[in-house]
Amino acid sequence: DIQLTQFPSSVSASVGDRVTITCRASQGLHNWLAWFRQKPGKAPELLIYAAFTLQSGVPSRFSGSASETDFTLTINSLQPEDFATYFCQQSHTFPLTFGGGTRVEIK
Amino acid sequence: QVQLQESGPGLVKPSETLSLTCTVSGGSVSSYYWSWIRQPPGKGLEWIGCIHSSGSTNSNPSLKSRVTMAMDTSKNQFFLKLTSVTAADTAIYYCARYDRDISKYILDFWGQGTLLTVAS
């Protein structure tokens, strides 16, 4: 199975801050990596797929980048609804796997 | 807008079989893959498996021997059975559409999730 290691596991930030989350894959993914936001008590919401592509309807403050097996989610100008947990997920190979999650907390 | 709704018993006894249904509205189950994902309370996400309308399935090897998936296109539903459950199977179970278009492989629409507790 492809392992996805996310870091940090948690981050404290304020409204308006920029937050960066990294996901490191155990092997190459050909950029088949997605990012999700999960608010408490809700299902995950797809933010970005294919490493860079913003899902329809997702605000442009979210962006993704990639460098070999390292993938990054950047949230510019953090909004109140962005205090949540973020997961990466790979679709390169079955079984699909997820990172352990990064919790973005209010400072 | 595609919507998914999980339904299930809520509580299952150890060693019994868990059965869940996902009902899809706003779109057809045909021509897509449909997935099951679970999340133990307060923990991360685990992909269980997926099924295509052709009948093709893929399951997580960690659960494969216990997982059965099926689909009823006439009812726009798909199903999960997990046998010999233990407390470790206690989780929120989500169903989701897995769009495997050539330019994207995405879990784009999710149900709200249903909590399944294994306890005697």
Side-chain angles (χ1 to χ4, degrees):
Chain A
D1 299 3
I2 295 176
Q3 307 301 316
L4 298 177
T5 303
Q6 258 184 264
F7 50 91
S9 58
S10 66
V11 58
S12 295
S14 302
V15 172
D17 285 354
R18 173 184 293 178
V19 170
T20 299
I21 299 167
T22 299
C23 179
R24 178 165 292 159
S26 59
Q27 63 187 74
L29 302 180
H30 291 101
N31 288 341
W32 291 119
L33 186 107
W35 290 97
F36 292 85
R37 175 179 67 183
Q38 186 177 32
K39 299 174 184 176
K42 301 294 186 182
E45 310 165 69
L46 178 65
L47 300 173
I48 287 170
Y49 65 91
F52 311 99
T53 305
L54 209 61
Q55 172 68 344
S56 176
V58 173
S60 59
R61 65 180 180 273
F62 293 96
S63 64
S65 63
S67 176
E68 297 186 4
T69 57
D70 281 358
F71 298 85
T72 300
L73 172 70
T74 299
I75 312 170
N76 284 301
S77 189
L78 205 64
Q79 296 301 298
E81 61 269 30
D82 299 332
F83 293 98
T85 301
Y86 294 80
F87 294 96
C88 56
Q89 175 257 320
Q90 64 82 18
S91 295
H92 179 270
T93 307
F94 285 128
L96 307 186
T97 50
F98 293 85
T102 296
R103 186 174 177 182
V104 178
E105 303 172 316
I106 300 174
K107 184 183 288 183
Chain B
Q1 179 83 341
V2 175
Q3 294 185 314
L4 298 90
Q5 178 68 59
E6 305 88 351
S7 56
L11 179 67
V12 177
K13 291 182 168 57
S15 80
E16 294 188 342
T17 296
L18 169 169
S19 295
L20 295 175
T21 298
C22 184
T23 302
V24 178
S25 58
S28 172
V29 295
S30 298
S31 301
Y32 283 99
Y33 284 82
W34 301 89
S35 269
W36 291 97
I37 301 109
R38 69 181 184 177
Q39 184 174 36
K43 297 191 178 180
L45 297 157
E46 180 182 30
W47 179 78
I48 298 170
C50 64
I51 183 169
H52 188 263
S53 55
S54 66
S56 170
T57 61
N58 278 282
S59 300
N60 195 320
S62 66
L63 300 167
K64 192 170 187 175
S65 62
R66 298 196 292 133
V67 168
T68 303
M69 291 176 287
M71 181 179 288
D72 185 337
T73 55
S74 68
K75 293 183 177 180
N76 234 27
Q77 294 177 324
F78 60 104
F79 313 100
L80 172 70
K81 287 190 187 296
L82 183 67
T83 61
S84 305
V85 297
T86 70
D89 295 309
T90 293
I92 298 169
Y93 285 75
Y94 295 100
C95 56
R97 190 178 80 170
Y98 184 39
D99 185 356
R100 294 189 74 193
D101 181 85
I102 193 170
S103 63
K104 54 186 174 182
Y105 290 76
I106 57 174
L107 295 160
D108 54 356
F109 293 100
W110 292 61
Q112 64 185 23
T114 186
L115 177 63
L116 194 290
T117 302
V118 179
S120 54

